[in-house]
Structure formats: C-alpha cells, structure tokens
C-alpha cells in the first residue's frame, strides 16, 4: 500500500470551500478547511495533479517533517534528521521561508538560519560539500511553520504562485488575480450553458478563466515551470502521465464577449487571449458598457468594475449608478455578478443583490454580488405571463430602489 502524504493548499479567504470540493474531485482525502487553506492527504501523485489542475489554489505545500522542540539544539537536531538529499543535490540551491507564532525564536530569520545550517551540515558531513542559498531561484523552496513547540517542514511544490497561469503577456494596472477570477466564476454557478460577458474586461482575465473552465483546460496548462521541476526526485514520466490525462474540449456551444472603454486595455486583452490560444472563442471590442446590449438571453454577466483605488474615477457613485441602470436596461433576463471593494459604489448600483459573498482580492476586502435581472420584476413577469397584462398596469416593483 502506498504511503499517504500530507499536503496544504493555500487560497484566498472566501474560496476555501470551493477549493476543498475541487481537491476532493481530484482525489484528495481527509480534506480539512482552515484559514485561507485546505489540508488534505493522498498519494504522491496528488502533488503533481493538484498543481496542474487546481484553479482555486495559490500554492501547494508538501509536508515532509514534523517534530516538537524545546530549544535551539532540539530544533537543529530534528531538522538535521530530515533527509534533504532525497530532494536536493549537494551542489543545489535552497531557500527557507518561515511563519511562526509564539515560539522560542525572536525572529523568523534566526529560525531560517538555524534550519539552513542543519540542512547544510548534514550534506557537508556526508559529501564534503553543501548546497548554497538562493532566495530568488532556489531548486528547493522549504517552508517552516512554527507554532509554539511544534515545527512543520514543507516543500513548496508550486514555486511561483499558481495564479501565474502562464498566459499573461500584458499587465493591466488593475487586473484581477487569476485564482480569484476562477473562484468567482465557480461561485456564480455558471454551468457553461449560456454566453458569458465581461463588460469591463480590462486585460481579459475573467474571460480567459471562464473559457478555460468551459473548455476544461487545466489551470496549469500554459505554465512553463513548477517548483518540483528542480527537485532531485522529480518524476518526469509521472508528470507526463498526469498532464496527458487532461480532457480538453475542442469546442463549447457558447460565446464569450468582452468590452472595455479603453482601446489600450482591449489590446492587452487581445494579446493575453492570443497567448492562451482562445481567440476563436473570446470576442473583444473597445466599447463602453453603457452602449452595449446582451446578444443572447440569458447570458452570464460577470465583471469587476474600477474600485476607484487604482483607477482615477471622477465620481464613483454616479459611475456605479450608471452600471445599475445599464444592467437593468440592456441585460434584462440575465444574471449579473459584480466583485468590488468599493462599498459606497456598490450601494449606488441601486439593484437588490440576490446573494452576497464576502471575499478578499489580496489585501482588499470585497463583496461579490449576484443580481437577477428581470424584465420588470420576477413577480410582475409571472403576473404578466399569467394574465397577459401589459407593463403599465402592473405595480412598479422592478428591483430598483427608489
Ligand atoms: C478593474 S478593471 C478590470 C480588470 C480586469 N478584470 C482584468 O483582469 O484585467 C476595470 C476596467 O473597466 C474599464 N472601464 C471603465 N469604464 C468603463 C465603461 N464605461 N465601459 C467599459 N469599460 C469600462 C476600465 O478601462 C478598466 O479596464
């Protein structure tokens, strides 16, 4: 029987539950929710699988060692016991990051140095040579988590954060994080069964993530590098087998539309869409959201308007009010989803959200809101359908706050 390994997947606050479900689908066992993370168990294969397929994880850590310690000596001796030579070459490069809570150490730096000494001394005593430290481009990135007297040593299997999907060739000043974009698409409940519109698409992140989900393109498909590529025990055959199992669809029966008022940002979106080889699916145009209408009803509208933090908005309140009006007038019959950290702006949308999810975009606290856009109201639509009434005879109750 294969040994069960212990892993941790990190994510944004608010995405833990969908990450847990995703990991379970990938075969993870004993998944436990934690703060901005999910812990799970499984075969070693799962380390490669989750790195390649997880859309909602920012990073996957492999727990390789755990021990209790009372003083520096015990700490050093226990780290020394870890057979780092299984993953790191004696001439390789390592880096150690530390998070700690209530420990004997004054600073994380001191703990990292002591751990580095223990690992390097073990090499030197065996081979007369030792690895070097390279914080920028390590072959093995260790992570030490110290909680009171308990130390847990992890290997960071992802290297760069998994939000770096590999399709971004153009950087927008207010781009949404790819993991967060994938997460809100999942939370929206869109089942790839109607058109998808981002009316303020910037560099196209949300559209690309939506098309990747609909076409079943793995989140790591475009990435050129994962942390474990430079581990000594990297199993290229296993990796090739896991990545070859991807079941990418050739086509989807829906279209993706993106608009942005800025031709420059549409240029960026075009470059990213081309890099993701999704230009056959995603249609982009430089237009104001206030001038466009839905092509096919129902469609799923999902976007992050300017928060007013990084973009210069003259009057954010009016701007958000215009968004509410445009949704009501040009996107009736659709579901719209907005993520924003501008709470004042959100109030001015003037529509009643049918659902609210608290989320974080990096350090920014956000709300993700769902609006069901009925022509008239849900109630009135039913009344009109039943009695054949025309709109002027029906009491005004169209979801707009007056
Ligand atoms: C927060 S950014 C969107 C970033 C995008 N999600 C990405 O990942 O790149 C908001 C975008 O709204 C665009 N915008 C502002 N006013 C607009 C309008 N009236 N119609 C369409 N786009 C607009 C801005 O040009 C900006 O690119």
């Amino acid at each position: 029987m294969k040994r069960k390994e212990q892993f941790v997947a990190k994510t944004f606050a608010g995405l833990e539950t969908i990450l847990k479900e995703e990991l379970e689908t990938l075969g993870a066992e004993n998944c436990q929710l934690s703060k901005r993370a999910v812990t799970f168990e499984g075969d070693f294969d799962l380390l490669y699988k989750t790195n390649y397929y997880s859309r909602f994880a920012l990073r996957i850590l492999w727990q390789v060692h755990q021990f209790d310690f009372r003083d520096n000596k015990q700490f050093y001796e226990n780290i020394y016991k870890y057979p780092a030579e299984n993953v790191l070459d004696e001439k390789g490069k390592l880096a150690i990051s530390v998070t700690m809570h209530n420990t004997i150490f004054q600073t994380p730096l001191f703990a990292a140095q002591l751990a580095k000494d223990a690992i390097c001394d073990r090499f030197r005593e065996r081979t007369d040579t030792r690895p070097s430290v390279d914080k920028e481009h390590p072959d093995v990135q260790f992570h030490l988590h110290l909680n009171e007297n308990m130390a847990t040593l992890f290997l960071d299997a992802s290297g760069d954060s998994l939000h770096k999907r590999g399709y971004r060739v153009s950087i927008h000043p207010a781009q949404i994080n790819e993991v967060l974009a994938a997460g809100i698409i999942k939370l929206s409940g869109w089942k790839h069964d109607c058109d998808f519109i981002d009316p303020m698409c910037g560099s196209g992140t949300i559209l690309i993530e939506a098309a990747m989900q609909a076409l079943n393109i793995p989140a790591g498909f475009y990435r050129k590098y994962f942390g474990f590529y430079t581990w000594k025990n990297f199993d290229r055959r296993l990796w090739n087998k896991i990545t070859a199992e991807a079941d990418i669809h050739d086509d989807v029966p829906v279209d993706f539309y993106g608009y942005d008022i800025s031709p420059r940002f549409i240029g960026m979106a075009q470059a990213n869409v081309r890099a993701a080889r999704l230009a056959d699916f995603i249609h982009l145009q430089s237009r104001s959201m206030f001038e466009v209408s839905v092509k096919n009803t129902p469609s799923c509208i999902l976007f992050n308007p300017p928060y007013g933090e990084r973009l210069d908005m003259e009057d954010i309140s009016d701007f958000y009010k215009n968004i509410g009006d445009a949704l009501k007038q040009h996107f009736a019959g659709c579901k719209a989803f907005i993520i924003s950290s501008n709470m004042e702006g959100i109030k001015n949308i003037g529509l009643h959200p049918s659902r609210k999810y608290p989320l974080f975009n990096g350090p920014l606290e956000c709300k993700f809101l769902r609006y069901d856009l009925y022509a008239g109201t849900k109630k009135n639509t039913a009344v009109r359908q039943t009695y054949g009434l025309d709109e002027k005879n029906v009491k005004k109750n169209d979801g707009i706050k007056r």
Side-chain angles (χ1 to χ4, degrees):
M1 207 175 78
K2 279 197 211 164
R3 204 180 95 146
K4 287 272 173 277
E5 304 292 342
Q6 315 276 327
F7 305 106
V8 179
K10 304 261 186 187
T11 191
F12 286 113
L15 298 187
E16 296 93 338
T17 304
I18 57 168
L19 172 60
K20 179 173 176 276
E21 286 163 9
E22 180 185 58
L23 294 169
E24 283 166 347
T25 311
L26 292 170
E29 292 166 32
N30 198 11
C31 295
Q32 306 288 339
L33 292 176
S34 141
K35 201 173 166 196
R36 295 195 299 275
V38 177
T39 60
F40 61 103
E41 289 178 2
D43 297 342
F44 180 78
D45 305 22
L46 204 53
L47 187 68
Y48 291 172
K49 221 175 184 177
T50 48
N51 266 286
Y52 192 57
Y53 290 99
S54 174
R55 299 186 193 284
F56 314 129
L58 286 164
R59 190 173 290 285
I60 312 281
L61 305 175
W62 177 26
Q63 181 180 318
V64 291
H65 195 36
Q66 192 169 51
F67 58 89
D68 270 331
F69 65 102
R70 305 269 149 210
D71 51 32
N72 292 3
K73 186 165 172 282
Q74 266 187 4
F75 177 81
Y76 174 93
E77 284 169 357
N78 273 291
I79 295 280
Y80 187 94
K81 280 187 201 152
Y82 169 66
E85 63 278 6
N86 291 346
V87 287
L88 179 64
D89 192 79
E90 72 238 33
K91 296 202 181 84
K93 296 170 290 173
L94 72 106
I96 305 180
S97 60
V98 175
T99 49
M100 60 183 216
H101 173 69
N102 229 357
T103 71
I104 57 165
F105 298 119
Q106 296 284 319
T107 65
L109 186 65
F110 181 78
Q113 268 165 355
L114 199 54
K116 185 262 297 169
D117 288 348
I119 292 171
C120 290
D121 289 352
R122 181 180 167 106
F123 274 97
R124 205 177 357 234
E125 272 152 45
R126 278 155 194 261
T127 64
D128 237 11
T129 173
R130 48 153 284 186
S132 55
V133 174
D134 184 339
K135 288 187 185 150
E136 296 305 313
H137 303 289
D139 298 321
V140 179
Q141 170 75 55
F142 292 94
H143 179 70
L144 249 179
H145 181 66
L146 308 176
N147 189 7
E148 301 189 350
N149 295 324
M150 172 72 82
T152 313
L153 184 65
F154 298 93
L155 300 190
D156 180 341
S158 308
D160 267 348
S161 167
L162 296 174
H163 82 270
K164 296 190 180 168
R165 305 285 205 219
Y167 59 69
R168 192 181 285 290
V169 290
S170 223
I171 312 285
H172 184 285
Q175 66 202 21
I176 190 167
N177 180 290
E178 293 79 347
V179 165
L180 184 62
I184 57 177
I185 294 163
K186 177 72 180 174
L187 287 174
S188 78
W190 175 64
K191 298 278 187 298
H192 325 151
D193 50 359
C194 64
D195 287 355
F196 188 99
I197 304 173
D198 179 346
M200 298 195 174
C201 70
S203 59
T205 321
I206 293 173
L207 292 164
I208 295 172
E209 291 294 326
M212 285 172 74
Q213 290 188 18
L215 289 157
N216 213 22
I217 298 173
F221 182 73
Y222 306 101
R223 262 172 85 107
K224 298 263 183 314
Y225 171 78
F226 290 85
F228 50 73
Y229 277 11
T230 46
W231 295 356
K232 207 169 130 189
N233 64 344
F234 176 45
D235 185 343
R236 171 67 69 182
R237 279 175 73 175
L238 175 62
W239 173 245
N240 287 346
K241 179 175 162 289
I242 284 169
T243 55
E245 281 164 5
D247 177 24
I248 300 175
H249 308 328
D250 294 334
D251 206 357
V252 274
V254 298
D255 281 303
F256 300 82
Y257 297 97
Y259 305 98
D260 200 287
I261 199 161
S262 154
R264 187 164 76 89
F265 293 155
I266 284 293
M268 288 184 178
Q270 280 163 340
N272 290 333
V273 166
R274 269 198 305 273
R277 303 189 286 283
L278 292 171
D280 287 347
F281 303 96
I282 300 176
H283 315 286
L284 298 164
Q285 242 187 330
S286 174
R287 290 184 69 184
S288 167
M289 173 189 177
F290 308 134
E291 291 163 9
V292 295
S293 306
V294 63
K295 287 199 171 25
N296 295 306
T297 309
S299 287
C300 176
I301 324 294
L302 197 153
F303 62 116
N304 71 310
Y307 296 171
E309 307 239 348
R310 287 181 283 190
L311 294 173
D312 193 17
M313 297 300 309
E314 278 204 322
D315 187 340
I316 206 82
S317 300
D318 262 8
F319 183 73
Y320 273 73
K321 182 186 170 300
N322 292 342
I323 290 177
D325 292 348
L327 287 176
K328 181 76 192 145
Q329 286 154 20
H330 305 308
F331 296 92
C334 298
K335 286 189 176 59
F337 299 86
I338 294 182
I339 184 164
S340 177
S341 68
N342 194 311
M343 305 304 162
E344 225 13 72
I346 285 171
K347 276 191 216 148
N348 283 285
I349 290 176
L351 301 170
H352 290 292
S354 58
R355 253 194 108 164
K356 290 184 195 171
Y357 306 79
L359 283 174
F360 277 83
N361 182 7
L364 285 183
E365 190 181 351
C366 297
K367 284 234 154 47
F368 181 54
L369 303 149
R370 167 177 154 167
Y371 300 96
D372 299 321
L373 306 168
Y374 301 102
T377 65
K378 193 171 163 187
K379 209 156 125 197
N380 292 351
T381 305
V383 170
R384 273 198 303 280
Q385 279 165 357
T386 314
Y387 299 106
L389 295 174
D390 96 4
E391 197 170 356
K392 67 177 182 296
N393 297 327
V394 180
K395 187 171 156 260
K396 277 257 186 252
N397 176 17
D398 53 10
I400 296 186
K401 276 196 228 148
R402 295 196 163 76

